[in-house]
Amino acid sequence: MTLPFPSPKTGQRGMTLIELTVVMLVMLGLIAVVFIGAGAWKRGSDRTMAILLIRSAQQGLRSHIQIEGYREAAYPDLPDQLFGAEKYIANGTDRSTGLPKGVGELPDHPSASHSFDFVAGDGDIVPPIGTLYICTGGGGSVTDLSYNPDPSSYTQW
């Protein structure tokens, strides 16, 4: 009785050099895809956290000016009334010292190499409705951002 397939030759075990090379190339390709995907996931995560912090600051500002009866103008020490422990926005700890941040200091940006800044002045100005209070970067302008693809306005959320 003959088998439909030839029997394997005895004594030839293992893989050839070409087969090993192909397996290694496939594995390196999969590892590259994982690293590229992890970087994209981290940027997306940073962007989401930045949007949430900007949104929280916006809501805290609007709540505070409603409660105090402020209008769109400049008010001294406005950041001190918004940011800090037991304030509208808890600003966390300083990355360099590990100590709690002081009253009026902005929270840390999710990306360690970037920071938040006030859109106008030193944060003492209540911006018009529809204008962000803080943004990512330090250009003093909503459109001058140093970290892309962070949103430059709430319409990009």
Side-chain angles (χ1 to χ4, degrees):
M1 170 170 192
T2 7
L3 296 173
F5 301 104
S7 64
K9 296 179 185 175
T10 56
Q12 290 186 348
R13 296 183 182 153
M15 300 174 72
T16 65
L17 187 57
I18 293 175
E19 291 171 331
L20 286 173
T21 304
V22 168
V23 168
M24 288 174 49
L25 288 174
V26 168
M27 291 179 69
L28 286 174
L30 291 173
I31 290 170
V33 167
V34 167
F35 279 114
I36 291 169
W41 176 83
K42 176 69 171 126
R43 283 189 302 277
S45 173
D46 287 350
R47 182 177 191 275
T48 301
M49 284 301 300
I51 288 172
L52 289 175
L53 283 168
I54 292 169
R55 182 176 179 263
S56 296
Q58 193 76 359
Q59 287 177 329
L61 169 74
R62 294 296 167 196
S63 297
H64 183 68
I65 64 172
Q66 264 318 79
I67 291 169
E68 297 296 325
Y70 291 168
R71 300 278 182 241
E72 296 169 4
Y75 295 95
D77 302 325
L78 188 57
D80 293 345
Q81 300 169 31
L82 297 174
F83 300 101
E86 315 256 338
K87 304 284 182 179
Y88 291 94
I89 307 296
N91 51 5
T93 59
D94 189 336
R95 284 187 178 138
S96 59
T97 63
L99 299 173
K101 289 185 132 192
V103 172
E105 291 185 51
L106 287 169
D108 285 331
H109 193 282
S111 174
S113 59
H114 299 92
S115 63
F116 289 112
D117 198 4
F118 297 105
V119 172
D122 293 328
D124 291 335
I125 297 172
V126 175
I129 292 177
T131 304
L132 295 177
Y133 182 60
I134 65 171
C135 67
T136 299
S141 165
V142 180
T143 58
D144 183 19
L145 302 178
S146 63
Y147 180 65
N148 290 325
D150 270 352
S152 58
S153 73
Y154 68 92
T155 58
Q156 296 176 354
W157 296 355

